Amino acid sequence: MSENAKTPADFWFDPMCPWAWMTSRWMLEVEKQRPVEVRWHVMSLAVLNDGKDVPEEYREFLGQAWGPVRVVVAAQQLHGDEKIGALYTALGTRIHNEGRGVTDEVVAEALAEVGLPASLASYATCDTYDKELRASHQAGISLVGEDVGTPVIAVPGANGEQVAFFGPVVTPAPKGEAAAKLWDGTLLVAATPGFFELKRTRTQDPLFD
């Protein structure tokens, strides 16, 4: 990698996860502060929890979660990776910041905003690209284990090894140099041999801005 090259940061997300959304907004700030380029990939809370005994309320949420991630995968398969980040932003802004949840209108507006065909919305209710969805999900979750969720981030380490981690879970999304310092610290602990977990109880919901 040349001296001026940006470090690729592979980011796995589910459009429905509010905490992944917060982390993704932080990563956009990191791109402004550090030589980092985010590469977006899908993972799925529905796939992650497939066959598990979960509360009925969460089961309903997981049923809704299939639609957006299938649309994103279809867009990727049919139109390439270039607009995946923008589509995630268009979906997430409506789902999370505007509090509109997942509706046909939300998906249609998001596709139109980034210049993708309206016909992609039809993939929300079909399994055409579920094989590719599951493969993308597995590529991310295999780096960190089955007992975490979304997001997963992976970067190349100093010695060529891959450094991957779940999170960080943070709200509100840090801005400016605060975002850069969190990135530096996250990489430091994630790259420490034998380091596995640093956690405390969440005391507030995501703060969208």
Side-chain angles (χ1 to χ4, degrees):
M1 186 177 294
S2 69
E3 184 176 341
N4 297 322
K6 293 185 177 181
T7 300
D10 291 291
F11 188 107
W12 281 265
F13 68 93
D14 184 315
M16 286 286 285
C17 179
W19 293 104
W21 174 247
M22 298 303 303
T23 307
S24 72
R25 300 309 93 182
W26 164 67
M27 281 304 305
L28 294 182
E29 282 291 312
V30 172
E31 280 190 316
K32 300 174 186 177
Q33 303 294 326
R34 295 290 187 264
V36 170
E37 181 178 11
V38 181
R39 301 189 301 199
W40 304 98
H41 311 273
V42 295
M43 60 185 301
S44 170
L45 291 172
V47 171
L48 181 66
N49 290 279
D50 192 19
K52 295 182 180 178
D53 184 18
V54 299
E56 184 60 35
E57 181 179 344
Y58 191 53
R59 189 177 301 280
E60 182 179 346
F61 167 85
L62 294 175
Q64 297 174 346
W66 281 107
V69 76
R70 279 172 164 169
V71 170
V72 175
V73 170
Q76 180 187 42
Q77 293 297 310
L78 296 173
H79 300 279
D81 296 331
E82 291 74 16
K83 291 188 176 182
I84 299 308
L87 179 56
Y88 180 29
T89 290
L91 285 167
T93 298
R94 290 166 172 80
I95 293 170
H96 303 296
N97 291 54
E98 297 176 8
R100 295 168 61 187
V102 179
T103 65
D104 292 343
E105 183 179 26
V106 161
V107 172
E109 288 177 8
L111 290 169
E113 179 179 317
V114 300
L116 286 168
S119 58
L120 287 171
S122 66
Y123 289 94
T125 55
C126 65
D127 61 2
T128 305
Y129 294 112
D130 278 9
K131 179 180 178 181
E132 290 78 5
L133 165 57
R134 290 178 180 274
S136 180
H137 171 89
Q138 188 59 34
I141 205 68
S142 65
L143 299 174
V144 292
E146 296 285 343
D147 58 343
V148 300
T150 174
V152 169
I153 301 174
V155 297
N159 299 319
E161 80 287 2
Q162 193 169 46
V163 176
F165 49 89
F166 159 70
V169 176
V170 61
T171 191
K175 301 291 196 298
E177 184 60 18
K181 287 181 177 179
L182 177 58
W183 175 251
D184 295 341
T186 299
L187 293 187
L188 177 63
V189 297
T192 299
F195 177 84
F196 294 107
E197 188 169 353
L198 181 68
K199 188 173 182 177
R200 57 185 172 190
T201 301
R202 300 174 197 171
T203 58
Q204 64 183 78
D205 294 329
L207 299 174
F208 307 122
D209 56 19

